[in-house]
Amino acid sequence: MRKQIAAANWKMNMSYQDGVKLLDDVLSSKITLTADQQVIFAVPFPYLIMAKSEVAEETNNFIAAQNCHHKEAGAFTGEVSASMLHSVNVRYCIVGHSERRAFFNETNEMLAEKLDSCIKHQITPIFCCGEALEVRESGTQNDYVSRQLEQSLFHLSAEQIRKLIIAYEPIWAIGTGKTASTEQAQEMHAFIRSLLRGKFGSEIANEVPILYGGSVKAGNAKEIFACDDVDGGLVGGASLVADDFIQIIRALK
Ligand code: PEP
């Protein structure tokens, strides 16, 4: 079975103290994860080491950075590289979240470099893709997402793709309370998997987890995660409330 993953994206939220409490509250629920289930907490940079020690004893719980720079090192004030993340034992990183594409001008080409850097430093990228509302309304979402994948992922080898997690996040559903229907989610996830199959073969396509992101809540997670090609979720707002995120974890297949 493919890995089933509940990934929390805290974004730029939570004080350090609130973050410690949130992790304590989620972890104290002692959810027993199966070998195929994982929980990942993508926390702000200053909290990574704290979060790492919080999850240290918990099986199948991991931490992630929310971003990294695409270059190895140098005069990039305020930035953090994949090699730095590796040096503090961070093994996951969100790459290409739509907020970074929109507010920090991240391009598909730049994201290809970020993926290379993550993979070089043994960090599993959680690669985000997804279309804006006007693209969905024009019915060209498949072309749009396919271009994102081609330009950022398709230079990778099959062995490298195998190390990836993909998150399909329709921008119109992020933080809006509007969720894609299960049909829309399944259709796009199956399409993404078909692109992977075409480029890298069936074995790899069947292995790569594809998470859904966009207003996943305690009340809708089970239905969304039940879709054949949905392997869990990347969760923003609802991951900031312990009880909600606990229910989302419990909704994993
Ligand atoms: C996200 O930030 O990746 C996200 C999906 O946010 P939300 O769950 O709040 O829509």
Side-chain angles (χ1 to χ4, degrees):
M1 190 182 182
R2 275 190 297 274
K3 290 262 177 290
Q4 303 294 309
I5 300 167
N9 177 14
W10 289 7
K11 311 193 187 191
M12 197 173 72
N13 292 301
M14 294 273 139
S15 67
Y16 182 89
Q17 291 74 13
D18 289 344
V20 171
K21 179 162 185 337
L22 177 57
L23 282 171
D24 282 345
D25 288 348
V26 174
L27 297 174
S28 65
S29 68
K30 292 281 166 217
I31 302 172
T32 309
L33 300 171
T34 67
D36 295 318
Q37 294 175 333
Q38 292 185 345
V39 178
I40 301 175
F41 297 92
V43 305
F45 287 131
Y47 309 166
L48 282 168
I49 291 172
M50 170 278 285
K52 178 90 190 161
S53 90
E54 288 277 332
V55 305
E57 307 288 306
E58 308 291 332
T59 311
N60 289 352
N61 280 258
F62 304 95
I63 57 156
Q66 298 175 10
N67 177 41
C68 66
H69 196 264
H70 53 288
K71 299 289 183 203
E72 191 66 23
F76 300 105
T77 303
E79 292 295 324
V80 172
S81 67
S83 71
M84 289 173 174
L85 294 175
H86 178 88
S87 71
V88 291
N89 295 316
V90 173
R91 294 293 179 262
Y92 293 86
C93 182
I94 298 177
V95 172
H97 192 281
S98 61
E99 288 151 16
R100 296 212 53 92
R101 292 175 186 260
F103 304 136
F104 301 96
N105 304 318
E106 295 193 352
T107 61
N108 291 339
E109 293 73 18
M110 185 194 290
L111 298 175
E113 286 188 61
K114 289 194 189 212
L115 293 173
D116 291 344
S117 194
C118 283
I119 291 168
K120 176 174 173 199
H121 295 289
Q122 295 92 49
I123 292 172
T124 298
I126 304 172
F127 175 76
C128 300
C129 58
E131 79 288 353
L133 184 59
E134 59 273 19
V135 174
R136 169 68 58 170
E137 284 177 345
S138 69
T140 55
Q141 65 274 10
N142 286 9
D143 291 344
Y144 187 87
V145 169
S146 141
R147 206 161 37 248
Q148 289 181 316
L149 264 62
E150 276 165 26
Q151 294 181 353
S152 298
L153 302 188
F154 278 17
H155 66 291
L156 297 173
S157 68
E159 271 317 300
Q160 290 172 324
I161 282 284
R162 187 172 247 147
K163 302 195 173 99
L164 210 74
I165 298 168
I166 294 177
Y168 168 61
E169 301 205 304
I171 298 169
W172 45 273
I174 297 180
T176 58
K178 218 187 244 183
T179 321
S181 66
T182 48
E183 291 75 21
Q184 286 171 322
Q186 169 55 27
E187 198 175 272
M188 180 57 86
H189 282 231
F191 174 67
I192 291 172
R193 210 175 293 290
S194 76
L195 293 174
L196 296 178
R197 191 175 304 117
K199 175 74 183 168
F200 302 102
S202 295
E203 198 189 324
I204 304 278
N206 289 334
E207 265 181 42
V208 174
I210 307 178
L211 316 185
Y212 168 80
S215 298
V216 173
K217 307 269 176 245
N220 61 19
K222 201 153 192 94
E223 187 187 19
I224 298 171
F225 297 173
C227 296
D228 281 352
D229 285 290
V230 175
D231 305 310
L234 178 56
V235 186
S239 74
L240 302 176
V241 181
D243 287 345
D244 290 357
F245 193 55
I246 289 166
Q247 287 190 60
I248 290 170
I249 300 169
R250 291 193 199 282
L252 287 174
K253 280 201 274 278

